[in-house]
Amino acid sequence: MLRDVETRPRIAGDAFKSKPVANRLYQTSTMAALLDAVYDGETTLDELLQHGNFGLGTFNALDGEMIVTNGVARQFRAEGVAAQAPGSLKTPFACVTYFEPEQCFNIDRPLGKAGFEAEVDRLVGNPNLFAAVRFTGQFERVETRTVFCQCQPYPHMLEVVKKQPTFSMESVNGTMIGFRTPAYMQGVNVAGYHVHFLTEDCARGGHVTDYKVTRGQLEVATIADLDIRLPRTQQFAQANLNPEHLHDAIMEAEGG
């Protein structure tokens, strides 16, 4: 259980470190930048994990998908196999939080993607806040994808996803985590649901494109506090972060 944040002021040379704040979103860069091939970031995993124990993202050069569970970052490379990622790896886009569920709900009937998202929306209530979502249990099926490591000059994201490896898992147990982002934040993040999956044995998974849950525990928390760190790189400075048809492009890139 997380403790309350200590609020006494810092002073030079003070060894005091602020304690984790639950359900505050920490994000590196933006989805629009990733869409425009800004695939190299400055934040290491060691730095990222100082801001959360739960989340998702990708790696520099778009070298696979990331999932963070229980403070451990794992990397799904092109073969879809999960491996713990070293702290020295860097990320161009990631979102993490210290997840403390505010509501729990037992799912005891099959639900597809639309039905599952409707349950989350019902529990969260407020459509204008972010939400962190975790489901642990049984899946009738899970469709996932990951991405190949890219070489410079980097291709546009929509070119990359045309060649993405996809995987289908049936009758599998595992954990699906991610975030629901309000529609007005499209481009900053991914409007709607963005979730990744990890099997119970921590061996497989990736970015989720479709699924059907059977039974398990759904946990949600609202997020009203955001900390977004933008890159100071030349690549980010030259990116087109407000292209035409941004929404459609992100939906295509995310498999929505």
Side-chain angles (χ1 to χ4, degrees):
M1 182 68 73
L2 296 174
R3 299 177 180 175
D4 292 337
V5 177
E6 189 169 343
T7 57
R8 71 180 178 87
R10 300 188 188 197
I11 58 175
D14 195 351
F16 167 74
K17 293 183 180 179
S18 61
K19 293 180 172 59
V21 178
N23 301 328
R24 171 188 289 171
L25 185 70
Y26 178 87
Q27 177 176 318
T28 61
S29 192
T30 70
M31 184 60 202
L34 199 67
L35 189 71
D36 202 41
V38 182
Y39 299 155
D40 290 324
E42 305 164 307
T43 303
T44 67
L45 294 189
D46 282 341
E47 293 166 341
L48 182 71
L49 295 179
Q50 293 177 20
H51 300 277
N53 59 5
F54 167 109
L56 49 74
T58 186
F59 299 89
N60 274 15
L62 216 62
D63 191 13
E65 302 282 354
M66 179 199 305
I67 190 169
V68 178
T69 56
N70 299 318
V72 177
R74 291 182 173 86
Q75 181 179 24
F76 307 107
R77 302 190 74 186
E79 66 278 6
V81 175
Q84 187 169 341
S88 58
L89 287 186
K90 293 183 178 181
T91 175
F93 177 80
C95 309
V96 295
T97 190
Y98 285 103
F99 182 54
E100 272 199 8
E102 296 172 337
Q103 296 192 70
C104 300
F105 180 74
N106 288 324
I107 292 178
D108 58 4
R109 68 191 190 281
L111 286 176
K113 183 174 182 286
F116 180 90
E117 292 177 357
E119 287 291 351
V120 176
D121 290 342
R122 180 183 66 81
L123 290 172
V124 173
N126 190 334
N128 292 323
L129 292 180
F130 283 74
V133 182
R134 177 168 64 198
F135 175 80
T136 306
Q138 302 171 358
F139 293 76
E140 181 177 309
R141 61 179 175 83
V142 185
E143 308 289 335
T144 66
R145 72 109 201 267
T146 184
V147 283
F148 288 109
C149 184
Q150 302 299 305
C151 297
Q152 293 184 350
Y154 292 140
H156 192 275
M157 173 72 83
L158 295 186
E159 292 301 314
V160 173
V161 298
K162 289 177 182 178
K163 303 173 183 177
Q164 64 188 5
T166 59
F167 308 91
S168 181
M169 291 169 272
E170 297 183 356
S171 301
V172 63
N173 289 358
T175 300
M176 182 171 68
I177 73 163
F179 300 97
R180 188 202 69 178
T181 296
Y184 63 85
M185 293 294 285
Q186 183 71 298
V188 175
N189 206 300
V190 179
Y193 286 83
H194 183 185
V195 292
H196 288 188
F197 175 72
L198 181 67
T199 56
E200 188 175 49
D201 62 3
C202 299
R204 294 174 295 154
H207 172 93
V208 178
T209 56
D210 200 9
Y211 57 90
K212 188 173 185 179
V213 304
T214 305
R215 64 179 62 248
Q217 185 178 58
L218 168 62
E219 301 167 288
V220 300
T222 54
I223 294 176
D225 297 327
L226 311 178
D227 184 354
I228 301 176
R229 301 300 172 94
L230 300 178
R232 295 179 179 271
T233 63
Q234 189 65 24
Q235 192 182 18
F236 184 81
Q238 295 173 345
N240 179 7
L241 304 184
N242 190 32
E244 283 191 85
H245 311 298
L246 175 65
H247 175 80
D248 293 341
I250 291 178
M251 291 300 96
E252 182 178 347
E254 293 298 301

